[in-house]
Amino acid sequence: MRWGEGTWANRTSISSFSGELVFTTGMVGYTETLTDPSYAGQIIIFSYPLIGNYGVPVASREGFPNVGFESRKIQAAGAIVGWASPDHSHWSAQTGLMEWMDAQGVGLLGGVDTRALIQWMRERRRRERASVLGLVQNADLEKPLTHFRDPGEEIIWPQVSVQQAQYLAASDPHAPTVALIDCGVKWNIIRQLQARGVALWILPWDTDFAEWFKVHPEVQGLLLSNGPGDPERAGPLIRNIRGFLREGRALQFPILGICLGHQILSLAAGARTERMDYGHRSHNQPVFQVDHGQIASTRGWLTSQNHGYGVLESSLESGWSVWFKNANDHSVEGVRHDEQPWRSVQFHPEAAGGPRDTAWILEEFIRDVKGFTRGGRP
Amino acid sequence: MRLRGKKVLLLGSGGLTIGQAGEFDYSGAQAIKALKEMGAEVILINPNIAAVQTDPGFADQVYFWPVTPEFVERILIEKKPDAIVGGFGGQTALNCLIQLEEQGILARHGVENWGTPVATLQLTEDRELFASKMREIGVPVPPSGSAQTVDGALTIAGRIGYPVIARAAYALGGLGSGFAHGPEQLTAIVTQALAFSPQVLIEKSLRGWKELEYEVMRDAFGNAITICNMENFDPLGIHTGDSIVVAPSQTLSDEEYQQLRDASLRIVNSLGVIGECNVQWAHSPDGLEMYVIEVNARLSRSSALASKATGYPIAFIAAQVVSGLSLLEIRNPMTGTTCALFEPAMDYLVMKIPRWDLTKFVGAHRGLGSAMKSVGEVMAIGRSLPEALQKGMRMVTENAWGLLGSNAFAEYDEQRLEAALEEPTDQRIFAVIEALRRGWEVSRIHSLTRIDSWFLARIQEISEMEALLRKKGLNLDADTLRRAKCLGFSDAQIAASLSSDRWDEHKVRAMRLKSGIRPVAKRIDTTAAEYASPSNYFYLTYGADHPEEMGDEKPAKHNATVLVLGGGTYRIGTSVEFDWCAVSAARELRDLGIRSVIINCNPETVSTDFNTSDRLYFEELSLERILDIRDEEMGPDVSEISVMTAMGGQQPNRLALPLERAGLQLLGHSGRTIEMAENRSLFAQALDEMGVAQPLWTEARSESEISQFVEKCGFPLLVRPSFVLSGAAMNVAFDAEALAHYLRAARAASPDHPVVLSRFHRGMREVEVDAVCSQGKIIACVVSEHIENAGVHSGDATVRIPPSGIGTGARARVLEVSRQIAQKIGLNGPANFQFLVSEQGKSAQVLVIECNARAARSFPFSSKTVGQNLARLATRVVAAPESMSLQGGELRAPDGRFAVKAAMFSFARLPGADPVLGVEMASTGEVGCFGRDEAEALRLAFEASGLKRPRKGILISAGREEQKMAFLPVLGVLRSWKEQGMKIYATPGTAQFLLTQGLSDVETAAWEEGQGAQTWREVLRKKQVDLVINIPKNFRRKELSLGREIRRTAIAQGQTLITNEEKAVAFLGAWGADFLTKMKE
């Protein structure tokens, strides 16, 4: 199929790029989305046709460092849009979308019937039970690209994780410390935790946490971050967490997994993940809480989501329960341990972009962290 | 069926007025459907006879009564409902609900309020309570204060600093609101506001800020979602009903979007809203500062728009929510599979453009501000802003030129153009395009208008394309053509912009099709294609190149498809009654197993509901677009397509001939028949040929013809253009100067069709026949009569069935002439005839005024009175004549049923407009009520239309001698009212007359000061009267200006005003002596 010959065909100077095709139906938040490391290696198709209207914000606004960005650079392999705004109008804007992408060396293709492309891709993914790979190239180029990049085949985490452990102090010297395993963490997770007054250790994705924990006894909680890729390929990470879960049973040590972190925690606990037919790619996914297999209440929440793999309910080991489910397709949206403060969610309680309705999950995690004392149950 | 056995009373919104229009027909109709699907028995109170929701087949029982606590209580006693629902009937229903609670009526009858608690409603309506609640939950409100007096208001304004905005409490659509730059302006606004509201709020002006709205739904379990956010194209300062609005927001970052969303949810949660709620915001264009402006805890115009914009059926779901369901339990009907607890994603944008009819109101001010003036709106869907904006401007302006069609500012010098940009008016968008045409920078236009530069840059793209086309002339290439289409240009606009006579709309279309440039259909599915959806809701766009796969709808039984054209924007003359006609047609087609496709662009309608037709195109009612849709619909499954143009009023009717010429089959009247009826000259000739009497007429071609005719007939003369609805540019000329003026206006209104001049008869009765015809034969018809004598537009008149004011002879003659005309011009479908009747003894003179070869405004009234849906019948007659008997004749109201239809006016919202009735229509809506006798029907209809029975006093100014004489039969009513303590005031001549007729103690109200008695001004200002009857002696401008001040003052004071003698007499007579005696007993 050929795309992008529409009247609004415009593109950045980088005109050839390849990656897994994914989409998002979020209508705002394109800078957050493009810089979200979960999209590393992926080409994002924006279903909302007008992208770039409010430009790209200044990197550091006083009091709001890096708001609008989820990592230090554009992580996506490229973007496909209906219409990329040639100008922008916003008080916070420093530059335009196209200029920004050019400067970062990431390609954008405009003028595409993104609705039709998403429909085609969605059905193909379901039919073939496989990721759909995309290759965008400039037809005038003498040597066209031939290689379809598949980030799902890659051990992608080294590209998005910190290389060395970093410590982020809290303003209060007595604040508890949380370790965060960075599989491609969104900055808003860090911002949200910092805003709640904790100090942070940001650890490389393949840190042997059980060992590290022994030399950092001050740490009172663990957060497994979001990130890109097929979780089943994150072998070292899964093994490390599995080891820690085994050793940490006596501790009642708080763990929270988000998105990929949720999948990693589930895999470490013996569950399986699988590629979903459609995935969830929007800011409007409804979830509800489950208690002993029943709908826990008449309450539901809207969440921001971006994932193509999911945890299989039937594969959960005993001792673990489904915590949240998706109200549309009833897929697993969160799991929790029946006795330990180990929890994880498939969605993004930190939002950015998208609704912030489940920020209470971060609150609860911090409450657990603050209540944690070495030596297990008081 | 969780509501089985439950009885629910739903409050309607009454007749349409500015600020409360068709959106409540849509929301009420959906609520009824939802409640009935859950098994409830639904009782509806709503005097809106033209509404779809008051049709049989919706509610189990309908009371055509005024929506007031008194009447609601009667229903509570009679029907003992379990619950009452007030969130679906606009401010009228909400106010009624609040009063019912405050008066203890709900508690007394043990009826539950379903929806947002009344305490919350009171809180959102009381601006001070609301502000303090917002401060409590940390949501910023603009600095403000409230006052009960003018002095109090001035003190507060002094504290906040000018400019300030003043708003009246408990008012719909911003009535009695305005901006004040200084004490003088503030005094004027507050004086008016306090005339009908006990309290006025003064707040900091945020002119130039962004204005945003969030539509929120919350269930009883605390689940809350924002269904849609909307951004006003115009900055804060223009009522949102008068703003161009775009959804979703275009210039907000995620941070800003979520900040407003979070705060909106915090508000509805803290208020405990159950159901729908609209939250309006001001957001700084320079930072993160924001203020909440107001909250409407009910379905609103904005929620109707949000519903059509996203596809999420807000009212339908809200009805489920108020009955106690959780959003988690409810499915999204647009996907069938996903959950209602979600926020729609759009992969297109919509623009709402308001429709003003300010030129229809003599003297009305054109400035826009915080009080709403528009009478309708359209919604346009596109994949780019220029596309949506251009579509919308064509939809709303009734001509093919849309945004590019006005030269009003071409002559303006720089200074005047700057002023036109600075001052918000109904015309400002045309000033913007003019400035761009002159090459003004976006930044300069922004600094004058404060419209966001991003929006202005999009209009600049349009303007640049217009300039490029102008250069292209004959050398138009396919690439430019394609780009013009993507920027929303219509074929006709392209042809015009090419500035060469060699191009016209058809040639552009031919070139376009040859180059393969076609729009594609796209589905609206609420999820932006994340999930597959069987939705039947479509639009066309050039911003995409792959047509939607259509395969998953249910196939129709027949392979025939009928395109039903809706009425487009509501405006003076086209309102909910034509939506009723279109909905009736679609439902009848469905019953006949014929596939119906509705084309309409008005978000305030039931016809654009997802389950009204088999497929919906939310699209332009234009030749180009309908042909595009025909091409889209033609396919292997559809071999036959025809179009119904007779159901949506005059706008689709005007398309009938061009569509037929373009090869589309008309279902119903042939093009020839329509031409015969609509072309005033052809029609008049036909009547002459048949020997049927009509007022003396001439086609006003040359000056000499005109002056000959004037010599023959004398004044007054009626000037009428062809193919216009609601008497646009129709006028009565009383002298030569006025005649020349009106002729110019008529020619401008309908340049391609003849203007006819005819003798204007005064003192004759006006009679209408609504009919259904089959091949030239009337098979059903209903006769109705105006209460007012001829000269009042039929849309403004009070109408009664049966026509008790004419004799059987006249009635028989009217029917006979109708039959003759039907046969002569070959009517086949719905039709309406209008006659002048005068009787002397047994002989009746019947003159034909006009015949409309289409459904008429009066169809729902006639239909609901006689108990037979004429629009459905007309649809069956033309779509499946073989399925029915084609015999029949006059339909009459059941014995003991008397029906009266009364018009609703919105003069209070139109400062400057003269509230006097004439041949050009001025009403915005209507009500219709039934009674066991005519007086009862009159009393109900008048009360429902806002003409309340006076309690304090009456001021009468009764016009000419014979007009005064008309009051003789009702002097008894005045006398008995006076005995009950009411004061009667009259202007000197009328007072003299009343005294002579034996009515003692009539107080004279002097015209001017120093004439002894107190002046009429004092009488009105001191609120000594609550009814003003002011009858102009004639319609000459000088006479009108005399009484105009009385009329405007009465309107401004919120007093009931009647300006027509027959209507005044009917009003008084309805409270006749025998009725009053009965009341006393």
Side-chain angles (χ1 to χ4, degrees):
Chain A
M1 287 199 109
R2 293 170 72 87
W3 302 84
E5 296 171 327
T7 301
W8 286 312
N10 57 356
R11 49 175 69 103
T12 49
S13 55
I14 310 299
S15 56
S16 300
F17 46 92
S18 169
E20 180 190 352
L21 287 177
V22 296
F23 64 90
T24 177
T25 69
M27 298 180 286
V28 284
Y30 50 85
T31 56
E32 286 88 345
T33 302
L34 286 164
T35 55
D36 177 350
S38 299
Y39 287 102
Q42 296 177 326
I43 297 173
I44 306 170
I45 310 166
F46 287 88
S47 74
Y48 187 67
L50 314 182
I51 300 295
N53 301 2
Y54 53 84
V56 176
V58 293
S60 210
R61 224 162 70 214
E62 210 189 325
F64 298 87
N66 299 313
V67 164
F69 302 101
E70 286 308 305
S71 69
R72 70 200 147 78
K73 63 166 191 174
I74 297 175
Q75 301 282 355
I80 297 178
V81 304
W83 177 86
S85 187
D87 46 65
H88 58 270
S89 164
H90 201 264
W91 57 272
S92 77
Q94 187 175 46
T95 182
L97 174 66
M98 304 279 273
E99 293 90 330
W100 180 56
M101 293 193 73
D102 262 341
Q104 298 239 348
V106 180
L108 173 144
L109 176 66
V112 175
D113 182 345
T114 49
R115 177 178 172 84
L117 180 58
I118 289 166
Q119 287 169 320
W120 172 82
M121 201 262 294
R122 183 190 75 199
E123 293 310 314
R124 189 180 158 99
R125 178 186 168 102
R126 185 180 55 83
R127 225 172 29 243
E128 311 265 318
R129 304 198 65 80
S131 306
V132 181
L133 304 181
L135 183 64
V136 172
Q137 60 182 347
N138 188 336
D140 304 332
L141 219 61
E142 277 180 26
K143 266 199 192 157
L145 291 179
T146 50
H147 174 68
F148 280 83
R149 179 182 176 192
D150 181 0
E153 297 280 321
E154 295 171 22
I155 304 297
I156 197 167
W157 300 281
Q159 297 170 30
V160 291
S161 175
V162 288
Q163 306 302 313
Q164 281 162 359
Q166 289 177 5
Y167 182 70
L168 301 175
S171 52
D172 173 7
H174 303 293
T177 306
V178 170
L180 185 154
I181 293 187
D182 177 12
C183 317
V185 67
K186 284 169 70 183
W187 280 353
N188 213 41
I189 294 179
I190 296 172
R191 281 190 286 257
Q192 292 289 320
L193 292 176
Q194 286 186 316
R196 287 168 176 81
V198 297
L200 281 173
W201 271 106
I202 315 283
L203 305 177
W205 74 285
D206 54 356
T207 303
D208 182 344
F209 188 71
E211 287 304 307
W212 187 89
F213 184 57
K214 284 176 190 154
V215 294
H216 286 91
E218 77 280 10
V219 170
Q220 289 179 235
L222 171 65
L223 193 140
L224 299 170
S225 88
N226 65 297
D230 176 351
E232 292 195 341
R233 288 179 185 270
L237 176 53
I238 298 166
R239 277 194 299 279
N240 286 334
I241 300 303
R242 186 175 295 148
F244 178 71
L245 292 184
R246 213 177 291 129
E247 289 183 22
R249 276 193 185 278
L251 293 175
Q252 289 285 318
F253 184 74
I255 302 177
L256 177 66
I258 293 176
C259 197
L260 179 80
H262 152 75
Q263 296 161 357
I264 297 296
L265 184 66
S266 302
L267 288 166
R272 279 185 297 115
T273 57
E274 66 161 4
R275 184 191 308 277
M276 300 164 74
D277 275 357
Y278 290 129
H280 297 141
R281 312 280 182 191
S282 58
H283 293 177
N284 58 9
Q285 294 289 336
V287 301
F288 60 88
Q289 230 172 311
V290 179
D291 197 12
H292 296 94
Q294 301 291 313
I295 293 187
S297 71
T298 43
R299 274 292 267 135
W301 291 269
L302 281 189
T303 62
S304 176
Q305 297 197 24
N306 160 43
H307 64 107
Y309 298 90
V311 172
L312 276 174
E313 183 174 4
S314 59
S315 70
L316 286 185
E317 296 270 345
S318 72
W320 288 84
S321 306
V322 173
W323 184 19
F324 286 100
K325 277 191 172 186
N326 189 295
N328 287 335
D329 60 13
H330 287 237
S331 59
V332 175
E333 292 282 8
V335 298
R336 63 177 160 193
H337 194 274
D338 297 341
E339 279 140 24
Q340 302 283 339
W342 299 343
R343 300 171 168 203
S344 63
V345 289
Q346 181 64 71
F347 48 86
H348 290 271
E350 81 285 1
R356 306 152 169 175
D357 300 6
T358 46
W360 59 271
I361 287 172
L362 294 170
E363 302 274 356
E364 283 194 357
F365 173 63
I366 298 298
R367 202 188 54 213
D368 288 352
V369 165
K370 287 181 175 163
F372 173 75
T373 47
R374 277 251 157 150
R377 277 190 194 121
Chain B
M1 298 300 259
R2 55 185 283 144
L3 298 184
R4 177 158 285 161
K6 292 270 183 201
K7 207 184 279 181
V8 184
L9 173 62
L10 186 76
L11 305 183
S13 66
L16 272 56
T17 56
I18 290 180
Q20 188 162 286
E23 63 269 19
F24 300 110
D25 191 19
Y26 148 77
S27 52
Q30 285 219 333
I32 293 168
K33 277 185 209 167
L35 292 169
K36 285 187 72 175
E37 268 182 28
M38 289 186 285
E41 181 185 339
V42 181
I43 305 159
L44 172 67
I45 176 170
N46 190 357
N48 192 331
I49 194 112
V52 175
Q53 61 178 256
T54 56
D55 234 19
F58 278 85
D60 294 286
Q61 192 164 2
V62 182
Y63 286 87
F64 291 89
W65 285 355
V67 185
T68 62
E70 180 197 342
F71 284 96
V72 170
E73 185 169 22
R74 278 167 64 179
I75 299 173
L76 297 184
I77 293 165
E78 215 169 284
K79 306 299 289 188
K80 300 190 176 22
D82 301 288
I84 186 166
V85 176
F88 297 80
Q91 196 67 33
T92 299
L94 217 60
N95 287 346
C96 181
L97 183 66
I98 291 172
Q99 287 169 27
L100 285 165
E101 170 77 23
E102 285 172 349
Q103 295 169 14
I105 295 173
L106 294 184
R108 198 179 315 141
H109 299 284
V111 59
E112 247 178 83
N113 167 32
W114 280 5
T116 300
V118 173
T120 297
L121 301 177
Q122 287 164 325
L123 193 146
T124 60
E125 294 291 324
D126 182 314
R127 296 179 190 275
E128 199 159 355
L129 284 178
F130 175 69
S132 81
K133 177 77 183 176
M134 290 302 101
R135 280 190 285 268
E136 189 188 308
I137 60 166
V139 172
V141 288
S144 68
S146 75
Q148 277 89 40
T149 61
V150 176
D151 282 346
L154 290 170
T155 312
I156 293 164
R159 177 165 51 78
I160 298 170
Y162 291 94
V164 296
I165 177 172
R167 301 163 186 266
Y170 292 95
L172 54 97
L175 186 65
S177 302
F179 282 95
H181 293 272
E184 236 166 75
Q185 256 178 315
L186 186 64
T187 305
I189 296 163
V190 171
T191 309
Q192 202 209 0
L194 290 176
F196 52 82
S197 174
Q199 188 195 50
V200 60
L201 184 87
I202 312 296
E203 64 186 32
K204 175 183 158 123
S205 162
L206 300 169
R207 246 180 178 167
W209 282 39
K210 298 182 188 196
E211 185 168 357
L212 297 120
E213 290 182 72
Y214 278 69
E215 289 304 318
V216 187
M217 178 100 74
R218 181 180 179 276
D219 66 20
F221 309 94
N223 294 307
I225 53 175
T226 63
I227 289 153
C228 183
N229 90 332
M230 295 175 261
E231 178 171 5
N232 285 10
F233 172 91
D234 302 292
L236 197 76
I238 300 174
H239 189 277
T240 178
D242 277 351
S243 287
I244 295 178
V245 171
V246 56
S249 62
Q250 296 300 312
T251 71
L252 291 188
S253 64
D254 181 67
E255 184 184 19
E256 293 166 331
Y257 181 105
Q258 304 302 342
Q259 149 176 312
L260 292 173
R261 179 184 175 277
D262 284 352
S264 300
L265 296 182
R266 196 153 76 236
I267 291 171
V268 295
N269 280 323
S270 75
L271 293 177
V273 168
I274 299 170
E276 230 285 325
C277 187
N278 160 271
V279 187
Q280 292 177 17
W281 292 99
H283 198 289
S284 165
D286 307 312
L288 289 172
E289 240 186 311
M290 63 176 188
Y291 292 115
V292 64
I293 301 296
E294 66 173 54
V295 165
N296 292 299
R298 55 170 172 81
L299 275 292
S300 62
R301 178 179 44 260
S302 296
S303 62
L305 178 67
S307 191
K308 307 289 161 141
T310 60
Y312 189 104
I314 295 177
F316 191 82
I317 307 263
Q320 292 175 280
V321 161
V322 300
S323 79
L325 282 179
S326 138
L327 281 165
L328 259 183
E329 303 170 71
I330 305 170
R331 294 280 96 183
N332 169 8
M334 291 300 270
T335 59
T337 52
T338 57
C339 173
L341 181 76
F342 91 113
E343 300 185 345
M346 301 162 72
D347 53 9
Y348 51 88
L349 75 157
V350 308
M351 293 196 81
K352 177 212 83 173
I353 321 259
R355 160 78 180 207
W356 296 275
D357 264 334
L358 297 176
T359 51
K360 288 247 176 194
F361 301 101
V362 178
H365 304 156
R366 306 195 75 164
L368 301 181
S370 51
M372 177 171 162
K373 292 181 174 178
S374 65
V375 291
E377 64 190 33
V378 295
M379 182 180 91
I381 310 173
R383 278 183 52 96
S384 76
L385 189 123
E387 183 180 46
L389 178 64
Q390 291 241 68
K391 267 186 176 182
M393 290 301 294
R394 285 192 298 270
M395 289 168 173
V396 84
T397 48
E398 274 170 355
N399 62 47
W401 320 118
L403 184 60
L404 308 175
S406 170
N407 290 323
F409 298 97
E411 310 282 296
Y412 276 41
D413 62 19
E414 193 156 324
Q415 212 181 344
R416 281 183 76 202
L417 188 57
E418 281 197 345
L421 287 166
E422 248 178 327
E423 178 71 17
T425 63
D426 59 334
Q427 298 290 305
R428 181 160 76 171
I429 185 95
F430 298 111
V432 169
I433 194 113
E434 175 62 26
L436 288 164
R437 278 173 180 150
R438 293 186 193 181
W440 290 19
E441 296 284 336
V442 161
S443 56
R444 181 178 177 190
I445 302 171
H446 167 72
S447 70
L448 291 165
T449 59
R450 313 309 299 180
I451 296 171
D452 195 286
S453 300
W454 189 84
F455 292 127
L456 294 172
R458 306 285 74 77
I459 304 179
Q460 192 178 34
E461 290 184 77
I462 297 169
S463 161
E464 284 170 359
M465 174 52 74
E466 188 190 25
L468 178 66
L469 289 171
R470 199 158 282 151
K471 275 195 222 125
K472 291 273 173 186
L474 286 177
N475 308 316
L476 177 66
D477 56 283
D479 185 50
T480 306
L481 178 55
R482 183 181 315 235
R483 284 195 296 128
K485 295 308 285 183
C486 285
L487 290 169
F489 283 72
S490 68
D491 292 346
Q493 281 174 317
I494 292 171
S497 303
L498 287 167
S499 61
S500 158
D501 297 343
R502 305 272 288 277
W503 286 103
D504 63 19
E505 176 178 3
H506 307 286
K507 287 185 181 136
V508 173
R509 182 180 184 85
M511 168 170 175
R512 182 161 70 68
L513 296 181
K514 212 176 86 198
S515 314
I517 303 168
R518 292 173 183 275
V520 297
K522 288 285 178 187
R523 174 179 271 129
I524 288 179
D525 60 10
T526 69
T527 70
E530 188 178 6
Y531 300 94
S533 160
S535 133
N536 62 354
Y537 180 6
F538 292 88
Y539 68 101
L540 297 187
T541 179
Y542 284 90
D545 41 21
H546 290 64
E548 190 91 14
E549 279 177 34
M550 300 266 193
D552 33 11
E553 285 170 58
K554 69 171 174 46
K557 274 184 259 170
H558 290 233
N559 62 3
T561 289
V562 176
L563 309 179
V564 179
L565 307 189
T569 175
Y570 289 158
R571 67 204 96 171
I572 304 293
T574 296
S575 189
V576 67
E577 59 277 358
F578 290 110
D579 199 53
W580 177 88
C581 291
V583 169
S584 297
R587 286 156 68 97
E588 185 67 21
L589 290 170
R590 176 175 289 180
D591 288 356
L592 290 168
I594 298 170
R595 191 162 163 278
S596 63
V597 174
I598 283 188
I599 306 172
N600 200 0
C601 55
N602 181 345
E604 305 180 325
T605 53
V606 179
S607 62
T608 54
D609 244 11
F610 69 99
N611 49 12
T612 295
S613 57
D614 292 311
R615 188 173 282 178
L616 165 67
Y617 284 92
F618 212 100
E619 270 300 339
E620 278 177 78
L621 291 161
S622 68
L623 176 65
E624 173 182 346
R625 206 22 64 97
I626 293 161
L627 293 179
D628 290 337
I629 290 169
R630 190 251 337 248
D631 295 348
E632 186 68 45
E633 288 292 311
M634 272 300 207
D637 306 328
V638 178
S639 58
E640 195 188 318
I641 292 188
S642 55
V643 59
M644 283 186 94
T645 56
M647 291 301 182
Q650 192 60 287
Q651 196 179 355
N653 195 44
R654 281 167 98 159
L655 289 168
L657 288 173
L659 284 169
E660 191 181 49
R661 263 182 241 130
L664 194 55
Q665 190 198 327
L666 301 183
L667 189 61
H669 310 294
S670 68
R672 176 71 191 151
T673 299
I674 295 167
E675 170 99 51
M676 288 287 291
E678 290 290 336
N679 184 315
R680 305 237 186 244
S681 177
L682 289 180
F683 183 67
Q685 283 168 32
L687 293 180
D688 286 348
E689 281 168 29
M690 292 155 63
V692 168
Q694 59 182 317
L696 283 175
W697 69 281
T698 182
E699 185 177 333
R701 268 180 304 222
S702 69
E703 290 307 313
S704 61
E705 264 180 304
I706 293 169
S707 53
Q708 268 175 16
F709 185 72
V710 170
E711 233 163 77
K712 189 163 69 175
C713 300
F715 288 101
L717 289 171
L718 182 63
V719 184
R720 291 189 293 176
S722 304
F723 279 97
V724 294
L725 183 70
S726 71
M730 178 151 38
N731 275 297
V732 181
F734 287 87
D735 51 42
E737 189 196 343
L739 179 63
H741 177 74
Y742 293 146
L743 278 172
R744 270 197 304 278
R747 287 187 183 123
S750 189
D752 304 334
H753 303 287
V755 175
V756 158
L757 207 55
S758 56
R759 186 166 163 198
F760 181 68
H761 290 263
R762 281 186 290 194
M764 289 184 84
R765 311 297 303 144
E766 195 165 334
V767 174
E768 293 196 48
V769 175
D770 288 328
V772 175
C773 310
S774 171
Q775 311 290 355
K777 206 171 93 183
I778 292 180
I779 65 160
C781 66
V782 178
V783 186
S784 58
E785 182 207 3
H786 295 193
I787 303 263
E788 293 83 353
N789 277 346
V792 172
H793 189 278
S794 64
D796 288 348
T798 314
V799 182
R800 64 181 159 213
I801 299 175
S804 56
I806 59 167
T808 49
R811 189 162 171 176
R813 176 68 188 148
V814 157
L815 288 171
E816 187 191 335
V817 175
S818 301
R819 282 196 197 93
Q820 287 172 355
I821 297 172
Q823 188 163 24
K824 171 80 181 172
I825 67 176
L827 289 170
N828 187 35
N832 162 269
F833 307 86
Q834 294 175 22
F835 299 94
L836 295 175
V837 173
S838 67
E839 289 167 299
Q840 267 172 349
K842 280 199 169 174
S843 78
Q845 190 196 7
V846 171
L847 305 178
V848 177
I849 309 172
E850 65 180 33
C851 161
N852 293 301
R854 55 170 172 80
R857 180 179 309 106
S858 42
F859 264 47
F861 173 62
S862 296
S863 298
K864 287 175 197 183
T865 300
V866 301
Q868 164 91 268
N869 185 321
L870 296 180
R872 270 183 170 244
L873 187 66
T875 305
R876 183 177 280 263
V877 161
V878 295
E882 70 286 352
S883 71
M884 58 188 293
S885 150
L886 296 174
Q887 303 297 322
E890 190 190 351
L891 303 170
R892 296 190 178 212
D895 278 349
R897 173 186 282 184
F898 292 80
V900 169
K901 183 179 88 153
M904 297 277 295
F905 297 91
S906 305
F907 290 114
R909 301 187 154 270
L910 299 162
D914 189 355
V916 72
L917 305 186
V919 289
E920 179 149 9
M921 183 169 161
S923 67
T924 53
E926 61 190 34
V927 296
C929 299
F930 303 115
R932 284 153 300 184
D933 54 38
E934 193 176 299
E936 187 187 22
L938 278 166
R939 282 192 303 273
L940 285 169
F942 283 136
E943 175 155 3
S945 71
L947 300 186
K948 287 178 290 244
R949 191 200 150 176
R951 303 280 164 193
K952 283 191 278 187
I954 312 178
L955 171 69
I956 310 181
S957 167
R960 295 189 313 272
E961 204 51 34
E962 67 268 31
Q963 290 170 315
K964 292 189 178 95
M965 296 298 282
F967 284 86
L968 286 179
V970 292
L971 289 183
V973 179
L974 292 178
R975 195 170 290 124
S976 64
W977 276 353
K978 209 159 56 64
E979 280 162 15
Q980 291 167 34
M982 218 186 300
K983 290 275 192 188
I984 312 273
Y985 299 86
T987 48
T990 307
Q992 185 60 46
F993 168 78
L994 293 174
L995 289 170
T996 329
Q997 294 303 326
L999 203 64
S1000 59
D1001 296 339
V1002 173
E1003 293 192 33
T1004 305
W1007 284 104
E1008 293 302 334
E1009 266 170 65
Q1011 296 174 347
Q1014 60 174 334
T1015 63
W1016 61 264
R1017 234 178 245 105
E1018 286 167 74
V1019 171
L1020 294 193
R1021 293 247 169 92
K1022 288 188 193 150
K1023 308 230 161 160
Q1024 289 162 335
V1025 298
D1026 39 16
L1027 169 66
V1028 175
I1029 296 174
N1030 174 278
I1031 316 293
K1033 288 196 176 101
N1034 58 53
F1035 287 84
R1036 290 198 175 90
R1037 286 180 187 194
K1038 189 166 154 250
E1039 164 63 20
L1040 286 180
S1041 67
L1042 267 177
R1044 181 190 148 120
E1045 218 189 322
I1046 295 189
R1047 296 188 286 272
R1048 274 313 319 177
T1049 309
I1051 291 289
Q1053 301 279 350
Q1055 285 143 345
T1056 299
L1057 172 72
I1058 302 178
T1059 64
N1060 171 285
E1061 69 260 34
E1062 294 88 14
K1063 186 172 184 175
V1065 167
F1067 178 79
L1068 296 174
W1071 300 97
D1074 47 334
F1075 173 75
L1076 293 168
T1077 334
K1078 254 188 271 164
M1079 286 281 283
K1080 256 185 243 163
E1081 290 159 9

